[in-house]
Every structure is written in C-alpha cells, then in structure tokens.
Amino acid sequence: MTNLPLESEEPTQQTIRDSMTRRFFTRSEVQGSITLPAVPSLIDEYVNMCETIFASVGRKFNEEELAHLRKVLEGQLAAAFSASPRSSIVITYNAPVGPTLHYEVNARWWSLAEAYDNWTKTREPPLFGKEPDARIWDLANEAPDPASCRVLEIGPGTGRNALPLARRGHPVDVVELTPKFAELLRDAAEKESLNIRVIVRDVFQTTQDLRQDYQLIALSEVVPDFRNTQQLRGLFELAAECLAPGGRIVFSTFLAAGGYVPDQAAREFGQQVYSAIFTRHEMARAAGGLPLELVADDSVYDYEKENLPPGAWPPTGWYENWISGLDVFPVARESSPIELRWLVFQKTR
C-alpha cells in the first residue's frame, strides 16, 4: 500500500491577514522609555509589562529572551533599591525596521537628603504644614516650665515643631539629615534669637554631641523613611541613652492594622512612597529589654484632625491620603491595611 502525501490545508483569510500584520509591525521603527520605582519583589510585573509592550510593537520575545530580560531587571532592581528607597529603573528600548528590539535597563537613585532637598526646589511651601504637630505640642505643653523641658527633635525639616517649641521657651536641639532644611531652620532661629542648636548629620552616627537629659524626643514623619527594624532598635537605644528618667519619645510610624501581615513587595513599595511599614510585634521586639514603656498609641488622622487649630486641617493637600496608607494601597480609608500612628514611650528609670 502506497502512502500518499497529505495535502496541506488551505490558509484561511484570517491567517493570511495575521501573517501580513506581523510583517507590517516589523516595518515600524520604535523607541521608548519607561521609568518605574525600584521594587525588586515585583519582578514579575516588570517582565510582564515589557513582554506586553514589546509584543505590541511586533517584537514578541521568546522564552530565552524573556529569561535574559528577567536576569537584567533583577540585577538593576536590586542595585537601585539597595542604594536608596528613592530609586527607580529606566528601561529604554528601540527597534529599527526588522524583527529585532534592543533594550537597556539602568538604575537611578537619590539619597534621602537629595530627595528632600529636591522638595525645596520643586514644591511650594509650607512643605509639611504651618502648625506644629498637635501630638508633639500637647506633650511638650504638659511641662509646667518650658525652660526645664529640654527637647530633641530628629528630622525637624524646616522647623514646623522646633521653632514654636523654642518660642515657648523650650531649649531645643535638632538633628537634621538634609543640609538645606538645616540651613533654613538655622536662619529662622537666628533671626528670632531662639535657643535652637542645629546638628547636621545622620542621627545614628553618634550620640556624643547629644545630651542625656532630654525630657522629650520627637520624630514627626521620620520613621516612615526607615528601611529596617535595626533602625527602629537604634532609635529606641538612642532614647534609652538620651532621655532623662521619666522622659518620653514620641514618633509617628505606619503600623499594619488588624491581622494584616505585609509581604516583601508591600514593604519595598511602602519605602518608595515614604510609608515604611512595621508590625506591632516588630515594634515591641525593637524596644525589648530597654527601660522604655509604651504609654500612648493614637491614630495620627484622628488626633491631628481633632486637636489642630481651626483651619489647620489638613496640614497639606497630600496629608490625609498619606497618613491613611492610601499612597501604598489606594482603597477606601477604612479599608486600608496600614495607618500612621503616634506612639509614645516613656523611660522608666
């Protein structure tokens, strides 16, 4: 019996049209650029996005090409995020006429000081609001004699808290990482002859130039820039060393709400949008073994809205969404799995 050759199937009008369309796209000349925050744990999203974009201009990547793209992206994402939470990757691509597409992936970043310095150049003042934080102001006002209530503020910015406290009579030391903020604060203090000592450095470098008799240590909108629990531990150790017995440290921090457990992607993206996330367990562990007791835990949204002077709420246009965690999770405020909280710890001995 003779095997007869099978006749090939007639191509349909649709397959013919599809083949022509594929050729049509390879006759395009393409170039583009994509800039995204560096969030290493979202690697699948970067790869999927590139695959979709490249395929849409007629340069569909095969599995080997996608694997190489993933490897390149992973390296640049890791380098960028390790350098700074204010980091991004830039994907540039171009394709001449034909089936080939060329791409590059480059990491870019700013230091924290550079990022905030850029705020002074690109944003209209007041950068953080006009009034001092109600929580910090209320704690300081519990002292019957301001002159005996020495304050250390870490990350004072342009002086929204430090200047009013000094005007009230508190001796104030500040440690500021951003030179431009420190310059603005120093100029304002000198103009009014206020008792403010300005120290420009990373607060974790040393405590030798700090006192050990502060009655109040304050950090407003600073801990959301922390990168890990080691920094939290460093802050509690600083408080234990520099507070007088009975003195208090107050700071705002994003805490996971309810039973929410942030994954690595949420933590990384949170850092990119000034919203580092911690859990209550991490907070307690960071303070463990130190002579510090948690004495207050308040919602920043509720406390500030209720206690700021009339007309001062919200302090800025971005404040309500940010403190509610909506810069990370754009959901209804009551559904947000994180919230900015005021925590107050007291030195017990």
Side-chain angles (χ1 to χ4, degrees):
M1 182 176 180
T2 304
N3 291 325
L4 297 176
L6 296 175
E7 293 185 8
S8 59
E9 293 183 5
E10 280 289 320
T12 66
Q13 288 294 319
Q14 187 60 52
T15 57
I16 290 174
R17 179 60 180 262
D18 290 344
S19 69
M20 183 191 73
T21 303
R22 289 195 298 272
R23 177 64 71 184
F24 164 76
F25 276 117
T26 66
R27 301 298 295 173
S28 64
E29 295 182 53
V30 178
Q31 59 181 354
S33 177
I34 308 163
T35 302
L36 281 170
V39 183
S41 294
L42 291 179
I43 179 62
D44 288 344
E45 304 303 325
Y46 297 91
V47 174
N48 292 339
M49 178 194 66
C50 289
E51 181 182 15
T52 300
I53 291 173
F54 297 167
S56 72
V57 294
R59 277 74 172 184
K60 184 173 176 61
F61 275 24
N62 59 35
E63 291 301 317
E64 183 179 352
E65 290 169 326
L66 287 174
H68 183 262
L69 171 64
R70 175 181 289 271
K71 184 176 180 181
V72 172
L73 285 166
E74 284 176 337
Q76 293 301 308
L77 285 168
F81 189 74
S82 176
S84 171
R86 306 294 173 266
S87 57
S88 59
I89 60 164
V90 182
I91 306 164
T92 55
Y93 56 93
N94 68 85
V97 172
T100 303
L101 181 141
H102 308 283
Y103 65 87
E104 288 187 5
V105 182
N106 293 293
R108 295 181 183 174
W109 60 81
W110 280 351
S111 70
L112 191 59
E114 290 169 338
Y116 279 116
D117 183 63
N118 185 61
W119 277 35
T120 66
K121 301 172 184 176
T122 59
R123 299 194 179 198
E124 290 294 324
L127 299 179
F128 304 99
K130 295 180 180 179
E131 297 292 331
D133 289 296
R135 192 70 183 97
I136 293 174
W137 187 248
D138 289 349
L139 283 170
N141 280 347
E142 290 179 13
D145 177 17
S148 66
C149 181
R150 187 174 294 274
V151 178
L152 169 66
E153 186 176 13
I154 298 170
T158 55
R160 180 171 51 93
N161 289 304
L163 292 169
L165 290 171
R167 292 184 189 117
R168 185 172 182 264
H170 296 274
V172 179
D173 290 351
V174 300
V175 181
E176 175 54 57
L177 179 66
T178 306
K180 185 61 177 179
F181 285 171
E183 177 186 343
L184 293 171
L185 177 52
R186 187 182 287 114
D187 289 347
E190 289 177 355
K191 187 178 296 185
E192 297 185 46
S193 300
L194 296 174
N195 186 7
I196 299 179
R197 181 169 65 114
V198 180
I199 302 167
V200 187
R201 62 170 175 81
D202 183 339
V203 72
F204 296 117
Q205 288 177 349
T206 180
T207 59
Q208 291 183 357
D209 51 3
L210 302 179
R211 300 175 63 97
Q212 280 75 49
D213 61 348
Y214 296 109
Q215 293 294 325
L216 181 65
I217 297 176
L219 298 89
S220 175
E221 304 176 15
V222 172
V223 177
D225 276 319
F226 280 12
R227 305 208 66 184
N228 49 55
T229 54
Q230 287 73 31
Q231 287 179 293
L232 272 183
R233 179 66 180 184
L235 176 62
F236 284 124
E237 290 175 343
L238 182 149
E241 180 178 350
C242 295
L243 282 173
R248 292 170 292 185
I249 179 171
V250 55
F251 59 89
S252 55
T253 183
F254 281 99
L255 291 179
Y260 173 65
V261 179
D263 61 15
Q264 189 60 23
R267 291 179 185 272
E268 291 170 357
F269 183 56
Q271 290 184 30
Q272 283 282 8
V273 291
Y274 305 84
S275 306
I277 306 167
F278 297 103
T279 65
R280 293 185 183 281
H281 175 71
E282 289 169 333
M283 195 64 60
R285 188 172 59 188
L290 297 172
L292 297 168
E293 178 186 4
L294 179 65
V295 294
D297 179 346
D298 301 291
S299 162
V300 171
Y301 185 99
D302 293 339
Y303 196 98
E304 298 301 310
K305 187 174 184 179
E306 182 178 344
N307 293 287
L308 280 172
W313 176 264
T316 66
W318 48 262
Y319 189 78
E320 285 185 89
N321 281 351
W322 175 67
I323 64 175
S324 301
L326 306 192
D327 284 8
V328 185
F329 305 101
V331 297
R333 190 175 73 85
E334 59 272 15
S335 300
S336 176
I338 64 172
E339 179 190 23
L340 197 68
R341 309 281 301 181
W342 282 120
L343 300 185
V344 183
F345 287 79
Q346 187 166 30
K347 186 173 180 180
T348 57
R349 62 179 187 276

